[in-house]
Amino acid sequence: MIDDLWYKNGVFYCLSVGTYMDANGDGIGDFKGLLRRLDYLHGLGVTAIWLMPFQPSPGKDDGYDISDYYGVDPRYGTLGDFVEFTHGCQQRGIRVIVDLVVNHTSDAHPWFRDARSSPDSQHRDWYVWADKRPASASKGMVFPGVQKSTWTHDKEAKAWFFHRFYDFQPDLNTSNPYVQAEILKIMGFWIQLGVSGFRMDAVPFVISTKGAKVSTPVEQYDMLRSLREFLQWRQGNAIILAEANVLPETDMEYFGKDGDRMHMMFNFHVNQNLFYAMASADSRPLAKALKATRPRPASAQWGLFLRNHDELDLGRLTKVQRAIVFKNFGPDKNMQLYDRGIRRRLTPMLGGDRRRLELAYSLMCTLPGTPVIRYGDEIGMGDNLDLPERNCARTPMQWSMEPQAGFTKSDKPCSPVIDKGPYGYEHINVAKQRRDPNSMLNWTERIIRMRKEVPEIGWGDFSVIATRDPAILAIRYDWRNNSVLFVHNLDEKPREASFSVGLAGDEGKHLINLLSEDHSEANNRGKHTLLLEAYGYRWYRIGGLDYLLKRSDIDGVNANHPE
Ligand code: NOJ
Ligand code: CA
């Protein structure tokens, strides 16, 4: 059954083991600590954990510089601890996906060390070399302002090597069949240890042509099919969630028109337009982005996120739009990064305003896709802008009022715990919020539960409902003879919204509020009129609460009128 696909309708949670919980007291989070926190995640209701890189690494890019694909960095534990962790997840019905970082390795990886040692070495052709500095060397940097070039001279190799990211991350020559075979082997290894798939790093770069002579890199989309084939052969229900910040025109190249490539992609296009919508109280570009990213195979899904571990990349907005987001959410230079984004966490961006946070989360949970929550956002954690680049939003999880927020017994945590100001751990922590029925944590838990009871979002077709007010976004989903409707007011002022839900006959007359008692009845012309408070949101079932009795078992069949 297609509705068995677990990733289509779940709630993902991303974390890095190093900043989650330290059980052995050395100041660095570890798998033993994470294992002890699985009941917390189970209670929160998340259905999958995305684990950021934890393999051996010099740690110059927070683990995205891997020096051994088949191990666990000893700071985090052992392979044995890792399997205890995947087993613990399995017992609680939580899936695990792990980062697959194969665009590049660390320069400390034995493959690169061998490759640079001689032109005849076995691994020379695993990387991308040039004898002279290529003309394109000062183009295509991913971290402008920090990274100066995409080609660096290596003394030992007596040649230049290509690196899309930092100069300690040499790009793998992903067109080399030996490299391709190794990538499959890496996937097969982690699958065998209990993971249900991968968040694949930097996909457009992995599949691009690379080399000194390549002036315009071309994506080799077929590579995506071979990854999927292999994965599906080894484990039928495993997935790949692609990190690909691409234009909507190419989405279907990534998903595959027969649904034979990536299972999921992060929706960067909607992400940027969502922040613009929140900054400008204008939902129109967001509605346009939703429509532009509508086409996808039935088995594919979007990953919807607000903030992640990187900067909020606004590179695809217009200059004017970007300026509006900067002004509202990251006005100081110190809050911005790489000339295109904001490096803050969500809560400080939204001024710690609970109404805006709920609005943002309500949107993330009700736009088409599977929501992906960043650890700590469920309690409204802040950032530390004194830390460099993206590290400001990677501080340890704040568990309690205990020293170091209960993250570690050591007084030297790997990254400083936030202990000052309104976001300090004495104010913002899990233990405190657990006790408070109105806390952000308990609100998040409730909204996750409700999200899971509305499979129409993950499975259904959506329509943006016209309300004539740009500050109001109304979306209806239809699936198996049921419909739901979500209305959001992006403005800081209350708004009255008037609309008809757009269903034939009497269907759309009654709106049953899923989160509070104020239901809505249409007037005799079939119109609903709602008063939404500033940043208000409503989740409705259309019709009544007998929806499960009405639900059909197969797509496209009306249960009341079986054929
Ligand atoms: C994307 C990751 O999200 C980012 O954190 C990392 O620096 C680059 N890829 C390079 O791996
Ligand atoms: Ca530790």
Side-chain angles (χ1 to χ4, degrees):
M1 296 285 279
I2 192 164
D3 54 338
D4 272 349
L5 305 180
W6 59 273
Y7 58 91
K8 283 278 294 181
N9 198 46
V11 178
F12 288 19
Y13 184 92
C14 86
L15 66 91
S16 50
V17 60
T19 48
Y20 211 61
M21 176 163 169
D22 169 29
N24 70 357
D26 65 354
I28 306 172
D30 43 46
F31 278 108
K32 284 210 172 99
L34 177 52
L35 184 62
R36 293 182 198 170
R37 289 299 182 187
L38 284 185
D39 292 321
Y40 166 75
L41 292 169
H42 189 228
L44 190 57
V46 302
T47 59
I49 296 172
W50 154 29
L51 211 59
M52 334 239 1
F54 52 81
Q55 290 85 353
S57 157
K60 290 187 185 171
D61 183 16
D62 217 357
Y64 284 92
D65 48 333
I66 293 177
S67 54
D68 175 8
Y69 287 96
Y70 300 101
V72 168
D73 192 300
R75 291 173 297 174
Y76 305 141
T78 62
L79 272 180
D81 297 330
F82 180 81
V83 171
E84 285 302 294
F85 159 72
T86 54
H87 172 72
C89 289
Q90 194 185 28
Q91 272 199 312
R92 291 165 180 84
I94 301 174
R95 305 265 181 173
V96 178
I97 64 171
V98 300
D99 249 283
L100 180 67
V101 190
V102 292
N103 177 64
H104 46 267
T105 68
S106 159
D107 58 1
H109 197 292
W111 301 336
F112 188 69
R113 298 223 302 258
D114 178 49
R116 74 186 348 171
S117 70
S118 146
D120 309 318
S121 71
Q122 192 198 335
H123 295 97
R124 185 70 162 200
D125 195 37
W126 282 42
Y127 294 86
V128 186
W129 300 99
D131 296 335
K132 292 195 296 266
R133 183 176 190 271
S136 58
S138 48
K139 284 202 202 114
M141 282 85 73
V142 177
F143 305 125
V146 184
Q147 181 196 357
K148 300 219 161 44
S149 158
T150 48
W151 288 86
T152 292
H153 186 258
D154 186 59
K155 269 198 196 120
E156 195 185 333
K158 297 190 190 62
W160 295 73
F161 67 91
F162 176 64
H163 53 91
R164 177 60 77 175
F165 297 92
Y166 296 111
D167 59 3
F168 52 79
Q169 289 164 320
D171 265 49
L172 280 164
N173 175 8
T174 42
S175 298
N176 179 331
Y178 288 97
V179 172
Q180 292 177 352
E182 191 75 33
I183 293 174
L184 301 185
K185 195 163 136 189
I186 295 165
M187 291 169 66
F189 179 79
W190 293 106
I191 284 292
Q192 209 70 19
L193 297 188
V195 313
S196 294
F198 303 90
R199 176 267 189 193
M200 193 166 173
D201 192 59
V203 176
F205 300 132
V206 174
I207 62 171
S208 276
T209 47
K210 311 181 187 193
K213 295 201 180 77
V214 176
S215 52
T216 322
V218 181
E219 288 91 346
Q220 301 157 286
Y221 293 113
D222 260 2
M223 282 173 68
L224 300 176
R225 184 184 157 105
S226 16
L227 294 171
R228 181 167 182 153
E229 265 176 357
F230 172 83
L231 192 61
Q232 228 94 91
W233 169 241
R234 287 286 171 97
Q235 189 183 304
N237 61 9
I239 64 146
I240 304 180
L241 162 54
E243 187 217 12
N245 184 352
V246 293
L247 290 171
E249 297 83 283
T250 53
D251 289 345
M252 282 305 282
E253 299 283 9
Y254 285 86
F255 286 133
K257 52 175 195 326
D258 299 324
D260 54 347
R261 293 175 181 168
M262 302 285 94
H263 305 75
M264 288 184 85
M265 283 216 273
F266 284 114
N267 200 331
F268 282 93
H269 191 64
V270 160
N271 176 261
Q272 319 196 1
N273 282 285
L274 176 54
F275 275 93
Y276 173 71
M278 293 196 292
S280 65
D282 180 358
S283 67
R284 287 168 299 184
L286 174 59
K288 216 169 137 196
L290 294 172
K291 288 178 194 160
T293 55
R294 181 202 300 276
R296 60 182 150 86
S299 62
Q301 189 56 292
W302 288 112
L304 283 169
F305 62 105
L306 292 164
R307 289 289 291 109
N308 61 21
H309 62 297
D310 291 328
E311 80 286 3
L312 165 66
D313 186 342
L314 303 167
R316 298 212 189 276
L317 296 180
T318 65
K319 241 180 155 180
V320 174
Q321 291 175 328
R322 193 162 43 246
I324 291 174
V325 183
F326 276 147
K327 184 166 161 248
N328 279 271
F329 297 146
D332 301 348
K333 264 271 158 275
N334 185 32
M335 299 166 174
Q336 303 170 7
L337 197 61
Y338 311 136
D339 307 327
R340 61 166 180 240
I342 299 177
R343 64 189 192 117
R344 305 172 85 188
R345 267 216 188 235
L346 183 71
T347 309
M349 278 174 73
L350 299 181
D353 186 334
R354 176 70 180 265
R355 299 168 307 166
R356 300 191 90 175
L357 286 166
E358 288 188 17
L359 176 78
Y361 273 108
S362 171
L363 281 162
M364 177 175 75
C365 287
T366 59
L367 296 180
T370 289
V372 184
I373 302 174
R374 168 101 175 119
Y375 84 88
D377 281 358
E378 75 274 26
I379 53 169
M381 264 173 62
D383 47 38
N384 176 355
L385 295 175
D386 293 338
L387 298 175
E389 288 181 69
R390 295 161 291 164
N391 291 354
C392 62
R394 299 176 179 182
T395 60
M397 181 68 179
Q398 296 171 195
W399 293 109
S400 68
M401 305 260 250
E402 312 288 299
Q404 306 296 346
F407 161 71
T408 177
K409 282 197 172 130
S410 156
D411 50 12
K412 286 191 189 61
C414 52
S415 159
V417 170
I418 296 183
D419 58 2
K420 282 189 273 305
Y423 301 106
Y425 70 84
E426 285 176 19
H427 307 298
I428 305 285
N429 66 66
V430 171
K432 194 170 160 187
Q433 294 199 17
R434 225 188 242 123
R435 294 182 201 113
D436 171 4
N438 295 317
S439 67
M440 189 73 211
L441 177 63
N442 283 319
W443 181 87
T444 309
E445 183 198 314
R446 287 193 297 270
I447 213 74
I448 291 175
R449 183 179 61 206
M450 192 48 81
R451 173 63 182 75
K452 286 156 81 176
E453 288 197 49
V454 191
E456 287 80 1
I457 305 171
W459 291 105
D461 297 322
F462 73 92
S463 326
V464 176
I465 305 291
T467 66
R468 294 225 194 90
D469 181 349
I472 303 286
L473 181 69
I475 301 188
R476 194 189 75 227
Y477 290 87
D478 306 307
W479 182 65
R480 296 195 178 171
N481 215 22
N482 280 289
S483 298
V484 286
L485 176 75
F486 303 96
V487 190
H488 291 87
N489 173 16
L490 303 170
D491 200 11
E492 60 187 1
K493 296 191 200 73
R495 305 294 269 232
E496 196 180 63
S498 187
F499 56 87
S500 103
V501 301
L503 292 175
D506 280 353
E507 287 277 313
K509 263 184 143 176
H510 316 286
L511 299 180
I512 310 297
N513 194 320
L514 293 174
L515 304 172
S516 70
E517 289 297 344
D518 77 83
H519 312 300
S520 175
E521 288 293 320
N523 67 12
N524 51 16
R525 280 176 301 133
K527 281 215 155 185
H528 291 269
T529 302
L530 315 174
L531 178 64
L532 284 128
E533 64 286 359
Y535 306 119
Y537 57 93
R538 300 284 186 278
W539 292 27
Y540 295 113
R541 278 214 166 267
I542 301 179
L545 291 179
D546 58 347
Y547 63 100
L548 288 178
L549 302 176
K550 287 200 219 145
R551 187 189 288 174
S552 65
D553 290 334
I554 330 176
D555 287 333
V557 174
N558 185 332
N560 294 333
H561 310 100
E563 280 161 23

